[in-house]
Amino acid sequence: MAAATAAFSLSSASSSSATLLRPGWAPLRRWRTLIRSISGSPRSAASDEATVISGTKLAHQVLKEVRRDVELWISAGNQRPHLTVILVGDNPASHIYVRNKIKAAAAVGISSEIILRPKDISQEELLDMTVQLNKDSRVSGLLVQLPLPDHIDERTVCDAIAPDKDVDGFHIVNVGRLCLDQPSIIPATAAAVWEIIKQTGIQTFGKNVLVAGRSKNVGMPIAMLLHTDGKHKRPGGDATVTITHRHTPKEQLKIHTQLADIVIVAAGIPKLITTDMVKEGAAVIDVGINHIHDPLTGKTKLVGDVDFEEVKKKAAFITPVPGGVGPMTVAMLLKNTLLVAKKLIY
């Protein structure tokens, strides 16, 4: 989007030399409203609110590209990509996530299977199963759905998966390559956030980014992608990144978020980020997944880590929950599955 100076007339707006607006530029929403009125676009009651980024629409585009590439891969005489998911226990959320992955895989032409195991499976049995699947030439991508029961060490299981079949990107080799800016299989949620930022046109070069959440599967890889050199083998965002977490005092967290051009929240705390913590015109990416009781309906509903309705009045861009990062995570997982099937990393 282009703009003239802050003080302008309608006649001069179209002829002034343009400058690229940053998400953190204060008059962004007022300028967007003016552009709508100039172009004749209908103006809604929410015209002064953030642009809500539809992860569902972006995921549809990614899946369309994956489906096309799968068809080309198979038509060239190659084996159909195959995803195997090991699902341990009866965690309802895990079962929903896995079903979504399997459904999406079928839609893009990737074959798949779910291997169900009881929650009391031993770690040794799970590791033996993983080793056998590593050797199975039919299986191009393999993941063990997290979280696992407490008696199983997740790091040990993640490292048991062959790095070249690790579609989750959790193996220590893939994590290490990511941190060293090398081509690697990027964890799907981190890849989803990065893709959303790029596809939306949110600028990262030289910007301040706050990542709330330090998990090794989400917060850390997101921070790695955004702060690293854009000219390396695995290009990064060239941003200045600050990482906070659930034990960062709220007053300190607020100081960091108010400085951030981009706020990415993956802490698992409902309404952690409120409107007073976000500066005008920031981009807010909500990765939170929280199931809370809705007193109005008496049912459980899914919410993120951001006070969505209030923050969208101040931000320039915001992702919803559900319908934001979630659908893109599934899409990027299938993109990883095609990547490992084609052996483009290893």
XYZ file of all heavy atoms in Angstrom, residues 23 43 57 64 67 90 112 118 121 140 151 170 180 187 197 225 232 238 269 277 305:
176
model
N 3.846 -2.141 9.012
C 2.743 -2.504 9.895
C 2.674 -1.657 11.146
O 1.607 -1.465 11.710
C 3.023 -3.981 10.223
C 3.776 -4.478 9.044
C 4.628 -3.310 8.605
N -17.613 0.112 2.483
C -17.010 0.281 3.810
C -17.929 -0.329 4.851
O -19.109 0.009 4.915
C -16.795 1.764 4.097
C -16.162 2.014 5.460
C -15.941 3.495 5.676
N -15.381 3.740 6.991
C -15.102 4.951 7.459
N -15.345 6.007 6.716
N -14.582 5.103 8.652
N -8.035 -19.723 3.897
C -7.848 -19.389 2.480
C -6.405 -19.601 2.038
O -6.147 -20.129 0.952
C -8.273 -17.942 2.237
C -9.771 -17.706 2.346
C -10.130 -16.262 2.032
C -11.634 -16.038 2.105
N -11.989 -14.619 1.832
N -3.525 -26.606 -2.767
C -3.715 -26.669 -4.217
C -2.371 -26.872 -4.915
O -2.245 -27.678 -5.849
C -4.380 -25.380 -4.707
C -4.674 -25.351 -6.202
C -5.366 -24.040 -6.573
C -5.637 -23.978 -8.075
N -6.314 -22.684 -8.443
N -1.120 -30.451 -4.159
C -1.845 -31.417 -4.982
C -1.291 -31.446 -6.413
O -1.092 -32.517 -6.995
C -3.330 -31.086 -4.996
C -4.170 -32.089 -5.805
C -5.662 -31.870 -5.602
N -6.077 -30.546 -6.050
C -6.498 -29.590 -5.246
N -6.550 -29.801 -3.938
N -6.868 -28.419 -5.720
N -5.719 -41.725 24.102
C -7.070 -41.310 23.728
C -7.313 -39.821 23.960
O -8.426 -39.391 24.249
C -8.096 -42.134 24.508
C -7.815 -42.148 26.015
O -6.942 -41.367 26.462
O -8.463 -42.925 26.738
N -2.079 -42.259 3.309
C -1.745 -42.117 4.728
C -2.352 -43.248 5.528
O -3.225 -43.987 5.052
C -2.252 -40.776 5.263
O -3.659 -40.686 5.132
N -2.304 -48.056 22.560
C -2.879 -47.669 23.859
C -1.940 -46.765 24.645
O -0.720 -46.754 24.407
C -3.085 -49.010 24.562
C -2.082 -49.933 23.930
C -1.986 -49.505 22.502
N 1.346 -48.137 26.315
C 2.421 -48.719 25.517
C 3.763 -48.348 26.144
O 3.945 -47.235 26.665
C 2.355 -48.220 24.054
C 3.402 -48.941 23.187
C 2.549 -46.721 23.977
C 3.323 -48.567 21.716
N 7.119 -42.567 3.328
C 8.005 -41.435 3.016
C 8.063 -40.438 4.162
O 9.101 -39.824 4.408
C 7.549 -40.739 1.737
O 6.160 -40.534 1.706
N 4.987 -41.280 30.873
C 6.065 -42.254 31.068
C 6.954 -42.403 29.822
O 7.947 -43.128 29.864
C 5.491 -43.625 31.443
C 4.721 -44.285 30.338
N 3.420 -43.950 30.032
C 5.068 -45.273 29.463
C 2.994 -44.694 29.029
N 3.973 -45.502 28.660
N 11.152 -32.299 14.078
C 11.516 -32.274 15.491
C 12.816 -33.015 15.804
O 13.316 -32.930 16.927
C 10.400 -32.890 16.338
C 9.109 -32.104 16.330
C 7.929 -32.694 16.769
C 9.077 -30.785 15.905
C 6.737 -31.980 16.778
C 7.887 -30.063 15.904
C 6.713 -30.665 16.340
N 21.220 -23.389 12.331
C 22.435 -23.001 11.606
C 22.130 -22.440 10.224
O 23.014 -22.316 9.383
C 23.379 -24.205 11.493
C 23.976 -24.694 12.811
C 24.782 -25.975 12.594
C 24.849 -23.619 13.451
N 9.603 -27.298 11.300
C 8.378 -27.658 12.007
C 7.164 -26.960 11.405
O 7.218 -25.760 11.101
C 8.660 -27.192 13.436
C 10.146 -27.313 13.577
C 10.692 -26.916 12.234
N 3.171 -14.735 7.198
C 3.820 -13.421 7.172
C 4.235 -13.054 5.753
O 3.999 -11.935 5.277
C 5.032 -13.411 8.125
C 4.543 -13.414 9.578
C 5.938 -12.213 7.863
C 5.640 -13.599 10.606
N 13.523 -18.583 12.426
C 13.167 -18.195 11.056
C 13.155 -16.682 10.881
O 13.584 -16.164 9.851
C 11.789 -18.761 10.694
C 11.698 -20.268 10.473
C 10.239 -20.688 10.375
C 12.446 -20.672 9.212
N 21.075 -16.198 3.687
C 21.663 -17.506 3.957
C 21.012 -18.582 3.103
O 20.048 -18.345 2.380
C 21.524 -17.848 5.441
C 22.569 -17.176 6.290
N 22.667 -17.364 7.646
C 23.559 -16.309 5.972
C 23.673 -16.647 8.132
N 24.219 -16.000 7.136
N 15.484 -11.415 8.941
C 16.307 -10.241 9.271
C 15.624 -9.316 10.281
O 15.793 -8.099 10.235
C 16.658 -9.454 8.008
C 17.748 -10.116 7.184
O 18.796 -10.448 7.748
O 17.546 -10.308 5.969
N -1.937 -19.471 26.855
C -2.610 -18.751 27.939
C -3.698 -17.864 27.329
O -3.382 -16.879 26.655
C -1.623 -17.880 28.741
C -0.488 -18.731 29.298
C -2.349 -17.132 29.857
C 0.591 -17.932 30.000
N -1.469 -3.839 25.324
C -0.116 -4.353 25.170
C 0.382 -4.253 23.726
O 1.552 -4.535 23.459
C -0.073 -5.817 25.615
C -0.488 -6.026 27.066
S -0.653 -7.763 27.506
C 1.063 -8.287 27.489
N -4.453 -17.101 22.250
C -3.784 -16.429 23.367
C -4.019 -14.916 23.348
O -3.504 -14.201 24.199
C -2.273 -16.676 23.310
C -1.905 -18.117 23.605
O -2.796 -18.888 24.000
O -0.720 -18.473 23.426
